[in-house]
Amino acid sequence: QVQLVESGGGLVQPGGSLRLSCAASGSIFSIYAMGWYRQAPGKQRELVAAITSGGDTNYADSMKGRFTISRDNAKNTVYLQMNSLKPEDTAVYYCNARRGAYDAWGQGTQVTVSS
């Protein structure tokens, strides 16, 4: 099993940037596909970006060109670089690890985009 801890959230002005980190422990990090999801108040959780164990990436359309997902297997960490943030990016951001039928989630980190 893998345990996930997110960090890096906070309050940022529109147009600003944040980098989220998700540190994994308890298993071999490199074998998992990793993803970032977000959930805004009153809305369903949605995929933000994902990266396979081989490094292939996938983004939700509204995040393409603004967000970048990356992973450092030596540090057991996945990152989400978020640029040109908008108020509609405000949400709790969750880290996810997946392998086959196994699915693990972090506790989430709040991102608030507001002036």
Side-chain angles (χ1 to χ4, degrees):
Q1 293 187 346
V2 62
Q3 291 79 47
L4 304 171
V5 178
E6 302 98 334
S7 61
L11 174 65
V12 63
Q13 292 187 342
S17 298
L18 280 176
R19 187 175 83 154
L20 306 183
S21 299
C22 172
S25 62
S27 187
I28 303 172
F29 174 75
S30 62
I31 67 174
Y32 291 91
M34 302 298 297
W36 285 97
Y37 290 72
R38 71 185 186 185
Q39 187 166 18
K43 295 187 177 181
Q44 289 189 332
R45 192 172 295 189
E46 62 175 350
L47 174 69
V48 174
I51 185 167
T52 67
S53 58
D56 294 327
T57 58
N58 180 47
Y59 297 90
D61 287 344
S62 61
M63 286 66 154
K64 288 180 180 177
R66 299 192 300 126
F67 292 7
T68 302
I69 188 171
S70 61
R71 65 190 298 162
D72 186 337
N73 290 337
K75 295 183 178 180
N76 290 353
T77 301
V78 63
Y79 304 97
L80 183 69
Q81 177 66 43
M82 304 186 294
N83 299 326
S84 303
L85 282 161
K86 305 174 182 180
E88 51 264 42
D89 294 318
T90 295
V92 178
Y93 284 70
Y94 296 92
C95 180
N96 170 262
R98 185 166 298 166
R99 179 173 171 82
Y102 179 76
D103 214 10
W105 294 89
Q107 82 289 348
T109 185
Q110 176 71 46
V111 171
T112 302
V113 185
S114 175
S115 55

